[in-house]
Structures are given as structure tokens and as C-alpha cells.
Amino acid sequence: MRKAGSSIGEGITSSFSAGANAVSDFFDGKMTLGGNYLFGRSDADVIKSNYTTTYLQDKSGRDYNRITDEDNVSHEIDYNHKFGLRLEHKFSKKATLIFEPSISYRDNRFTESGMETISKDNLDGRALEGISEASTFGEGRGKTINTGGFLLFNRKLGLPGRTLSVTSRYSVSHYNLTGVSRSNTYHFDSGIEDPVDQRYDYITKSDNFNFRVNYIEPMGHNIYISGYIACHWDAS
């Protein structure tokens, strides 16, 4: 199965990206809200040709050459969208909240085709003897969605240095690749063809969540005691 995005960076690749961001204050400066967006596009065309000669001997000790001639063509388009926000709110001089969510979406589409011919040269001056000829074709589309975020709440309690903080991080990822893969191999000696027609649907999911509550108590003379409760959750 082909991996989506494997042609980006090879062959002739063109890319474009653009973004925007904005920040504004609300409630007399107590709240700051900012956002950003980034768009990217990549387009790759790859042409590969490979000619290989392998020097061999048959069972009788006679030399011959095995010749492999390959030609492959692929085209791939990749779209990326990324969104992000940052919210910071000061409830008072002692309490602050920060929240940073994000989401990204990737859409990858590809097509590829190839031809491989394997021949035998008996080194007797005659024309090459065909062994096999194979053709391949594939196309597919991969979609990826990633979301995540960070949350921090900080509260000062009474004495200088006495602090309660809550932090949390989460991420959710979903990837889906669908496509087809076809090939046909013809064997010259037997006249038999080996066709293959496959369809695939590959899905992966992963979720991650972290949560932590931390408390700091000042004991005087620059001595502090800290305690926390934390939990972690993963699923895939």
C-alpha cells in the first residue's frame, strides 16, 4: 500500500502557502484573543526510468544477461489547512486563564502508473528473449484531521507564593487512506497473465488527554512544598 505524501519533495515540485493572523483585546484589556490560519498547497510530478543489466550464468555455465527496463510516472497534490486560537483572560490580579486550541486538515491525492519489461540476452547476437512484462496503476486519497489544545488556569491564594494551577492538554488524530491498486503481469514462456485488482481503506485513530492539578504552599525562608494530582489517557 502506497503512503500518501510520498512523492512530495521529489521530481518537479511546486508549492504555495499563505497565512493570516489577528489579535485583539476585550473587556478593557482583561481578555486577549488571537487567531491564525495557514494554507499550503504542493504539486509534484515524478518521472522515473531505470535500466538494469544483471550478469548471470545458467546451469550449464553459459553466460547471459538479465535486463530490466522500468518506467514510472506519478502525480500528487497536497492541500493543508491549519487553524489556531489563543485566549488569555485575567479574571483578577490573582487569577488567569490561557486556552490555545488548534485544528489542521490535510487532503492528499495521487495517481501513479508504471511499466516493467524483463528480457534475456543470450549474448549470441540475436534479439532479446522476453521473460515478462508488467503494468501497474494506482490512485488514492488520504485525509488527515488533527485537533489539539492546551489549557492553563492559575490562581494565587492568600499568602505570596501560595498557588493553585490546573493544566490540561489534549490531542485527537484521524487518518483515512482509500485507493485502488491494479497490476497485470504477462509471462512470455507460458503465455499466462497474472492480473491483480485491489481496493483498500486504511484508517487510524489516536486520542490523548493529560490533566494535572498542582498546589504550592510557602513554608517561609524560601522553602516551598508542592503537591499535584495528574491523570493521563491514551487510545488508538
Side-chain angles (χ1 to χ4, degrees):
M1 182 177 62
R2 186 187 193 278
K3 182 180 179 180
S6 60
S7 294
I8 300 299
E10 296 185 352
I12 300 175
T13 301
S14 60
S15 60
F16 169 81
S17 63
N21 62 78
V23 179
S24 184
D25 292 329
F26 301 92
F27 306 112
D28 297 325
K30 293 182 179 181
M31 177 185 290
T32 301
L33 178 62
N36 61 81
Y37 168 71
L38 178 65
F39 169 76
R41 180 185 185 276
S42 297
D43 195 326
D45 288 287
V46 180
I47 299 176
K48 294 182 179 180
S49 296
N50 186 36
Y51 186 89
T52 305
T53 300
T54 306
Y55 305 98
L56 301 170
Q57 282 187 341
D58 59 18
K59 295 181 179 179
S60 64
R62 185 167 55 185
D63 295 331
Y64 71 94
N65 294 340
R66 183 185 179 95
I67 299 172
T68 303
D69 190 0
E70 296 178 84
D71 292 294
N72 296 280
V73 177
S74 67
H75 177 69
E76 186 165 355
I77 300 178
D78 197 70
Y79 298 94
N80 286 278
H81 302 269
K82 296 181 180 179
F83 304 87
L85 290 175
R86 176 182 170 85
L87 170 66
E88 182 174 351
H89 184 70
K90 297 179 180 179
F91 297 96
S92 66
K93 293 181 179 180
K94 296 183 178 181
T96 303
L97 173 70
I98 297 176
F99 181 46
E100 297 179 348
S102 64
I103 183 171
S104 65
Y105 173 73
R106 181 184 183 187
D107 187 356
N108 177 273
R109 309 176 190 188
F110 64 88
T111 59
E112 57 187 3
S113 60
M115 179 68 70
E116 179 188 71
T117 302
I118 300 178
S119 305
K120 179 180 180 182
D121 185 356
N122 292 310
L123 304 176
D124 54 5
R126 298 181 181 180
L128 298 180
E129 177 183 332
I131 297 178
S132 65
E133 185 176 77
S135 61
T136 60
F137 173 79
E139 64 179 357
R141 183 177 185 180
K143 298 179 181 179
T144 306
I145 299 178
N146 293 312
T147 63
F150 168 73
L151 174 69
L152 169 63
F153 175 76
N154 192 71
R155 180 74 165 87
K156 297 178 182 179
L157 303 172
L159 294 176
R162 180 182 291 169
T163 305
L164 175 68
S165 62
V166 179
T167 59
S168 177
R169 294 182 184 273
Y170 71 92
S171 65
V172 178
S173 178
H174 182 275
Y175 175 64
N176 180 214
L177 174 63
T178 59
V180 297
S181 177
R182 302 187 183 99
S183 67
N184 186 48
T185 303
Y186 177 76
H187 302 275
F188 288 95
D189 56 350
S190 62
I192 297 177
E193 292 186 351
D194 291 329
V196 176
D197 190 343
Q198 296 178 326
R199 296 180 180 272
Y200 53 86
D201 192 349
Y202 177 72
I203 298 175
T204 60
K205 297 180 180 179
S206 65
D207 303 318
N208 177 277
F209 177 77
N210 291 279
F211 180 80
R212 176 174 175 140
V213 178
N214 191 76
Y215 177 78
I216 300 176
E217 177 67 28
M219 304 301 294
H221 305 288
N222 294 323
I223 298 175
Y224 298 86
I225 294 178
S226 176
Y228 70 89
I229 299 175
C231 66
H232 177 79
W233 181 71
D234 275 309
S236 60

